[in-house]
């Protein structure tokens, strides 16, 4: 589901509460976020043991304003407590 097609959400981003709430209530979005999260929980420790100095994770969507921003924000909240994280929203710069 793309918030771009919801007139009240179009001008907002995935960092805005109305968009985040809209996306959090979409089962497909939550499933994707969980899949990415499970992958990272499984493989980040292995990459750390392999002495990787960094891992780049790219999340994209059609416009780079809503869905990808929301997913990155959620992953950042989840992983930044245990892993050094830097987030960058390319289309928000």
């Amino acid at each position: 589901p793309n918030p771009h097609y919801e007139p009240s959400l179009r001008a907002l981003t995935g960092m805005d509460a109305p968009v985040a709430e809209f996306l959090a209530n979409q089962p497909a979005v939550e499933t994707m976020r969980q899949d990415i999260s499970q992958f990272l929980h499984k493989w980040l420790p292995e990459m750390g043991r392999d002495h990787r100095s960094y891992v780049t994770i790219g999340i994209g969507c059609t416009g780079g304003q809503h869905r990808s921003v929301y997913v990155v924000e959620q992953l950042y909240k989840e992983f930044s407590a245990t892993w050094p994280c830097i987030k960058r929203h390319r289309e928000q710069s």
Side-chain angles (χ1 to χ4, degrees):
N2 191 341
H4 174 79
Y5 297 112
E6 298 291 328
S8 64
L9 302 178
R10 182 174 293 183
L12 303 175
T13 76
M15 290 183 278
D16 294 309
V19 173
E21 183 178 320
F22 173 84
L23 292 171
N25 289 314
Q26 303 297 324
V29 174
E30 182 57 19
T31 298
M32 177 183 280
R33 190 205 57 76
Q34 287 176 358
D35 287 349
I36 295 168
S37 175
Q38 288 172 356
F39 177 88
L40 294 172
H41 278 293
K42 179 177 181 177
W43 290 106
L44 283 176
E46 185 65 30
M47 291 178 198
R49 283 189 288 278
D50 195 33
H51 306 290
R52 304 281 174 100
S53 60
Y54 68 92
V55 175
T56 301
I57 300 158
I59 308 291
C61 65
T62 306
Q65 300 292 323
H66 300 104
R67 295 168 294 178
S68 61
V69 171
Y70 169 76
V71 170
V72 167
E73 289 294 318
Q74 297 306 305
L75 293 171
Y76 181 84
K77 286 178 192 173
E78 182 176 351
F79 286 92
S80 63
T82 54
W83 293 93
C85 295
I86 299 171
K87 62 179 173 170
R88 179 174 169 248
H89 300 295
R90 187 180 71 188
E91 301 301 324
Q92 302 294 310
S93 302

